[in-house]
Amino acid sequence: MSDLKEYLAQKRDAVLRRRAHARSEGAHPLRLQARAQAEGRSGVRRIRIRDFQVISDSLPDFAGYDLGPSSPELLLGALSSCLTHTYLIQAADLQIALEDVSVEVLGQLDPRAGAPGHETTPIYPHDLSYTVRLTTDVTELAALHAAVERFCPILNLLRQGVAVRGTVERIPASRAAA
């Protein structure tokens, strides 16, 4: 097990700096961007975020090669990562000593969704739940959990929903080949 004591001290300093910056005149929203492109012949999706790359794929029974997690699995991974990070942030802010944090997220995805007899079955991951495992000598963790539930961005996005707009841009195949 890792000892997070030093990291939590660094995280607390970062939290305090960010909080002060957020109250300053120079604070502004951050623009986030991710881009995915399907690769020919395999359908593997290369997701690019800043200077990072993640590969997403399907299972073989859905014409994939199982070279990476599916999009719904990445969603659960994003939630588990965000919850873990938010526990670290809030533990640092509340000065709660942790030695280890892990979060497991479970969900269901029903391939029958939308098929006859399953018209009301969600087409998206549903029945989501998470379990947090904290290694700590602190016995009272209710305030930490409440803070995480309040401040975890991905958890709150999933619980509250958000409007998403989409557009389609057509690129003529003759121009794309050039």
Side-chain angles (χ1 to χ4, degrees):
M1 300 214 185
S2 63
D3 182 6
L4 292 174
K5 186 178 180 180
E6 287 181 39
Y7 177 76
L8 290 175
Q10 293 172 355
K11 184 59 89 175
R12 179 162 171 72
D13 290 343
V15 166
L16 295 174
R17 282 192 309 275
R18 266 201 178 198
R19 191 174 290 145
H21 177 71
R23 293 180 181 138
S24 74
E25 294 291 324
H28 60 280
L30 299 174
R31 185 82 175 149
L32 305 176
Q33 179 182 12
R35 177 175 296 183
Q37 183 167 359
E39 298 209 346
R41 301 196 74 125
S42 71
V44 167
R45 282 85 60 203
R46 290 193 183 274
I47 303 166
R48 297 188 188 280
I49 302 168
R50 293 187 286 133
D51 293 332
F52 303 98
Q53 177 176 280
V54 177
I55 292 178
S56 179
D57 195 9
S58 302
L59 292 169
D61 72 342
F62 202 37
Y65 295 92
D66 203 17
L67 297 174
S70 67
S71 299
E73 291 169 320
L74 286 170
L75 176 71
L76 270 58
L79 177 57
S80 68
S81 174
C82 195
L83 282 163
T84 301
H85 189 219
T86 306
Y87 265 94
L88 292 171
I89 293 166
Q90 295 306 316
D93 196 31
L94 297 170
Q95 296 182 304
I96 295 174
L98 300 177
E99 289 183 31
D100 196 45
V101 180
S102 68
V103 177
E104 179 180 40
V105 175
L106 301 174
Q108 291 187 14
L109 187 62
D110 194 330
R112 302 170 298 176
H118 295 278
E119 293 85 359
T120 60
T121 301
I123 60 168
Y124 47 84
H126 58 281
D127 292 333
L128 302 183
S129 64
Y130 71 90
T131 302
V132 180
R133 291 175 182 86
L134 301 174
T135 304
T136 182
D137 288 330
V138 175
T139 57
E140 180 49 51
L141 298 169
L144 174 61
H145 182 69
V148 169
E149 291 262 321
R150 179 172 178 216
F151 291 112
C152 180
I154 302 300
L155 177 65
N156 284 287
L157 168 71
L158 291 170
R159 285 184 170 163
Q160 302 299 320
V162 65
V164 179
R165 298 171 303 281
T167 61
V168 175
E169 296 177 0
R170 186 184 77 82
I171 300 170
S174 59
R175 197 171 94 197

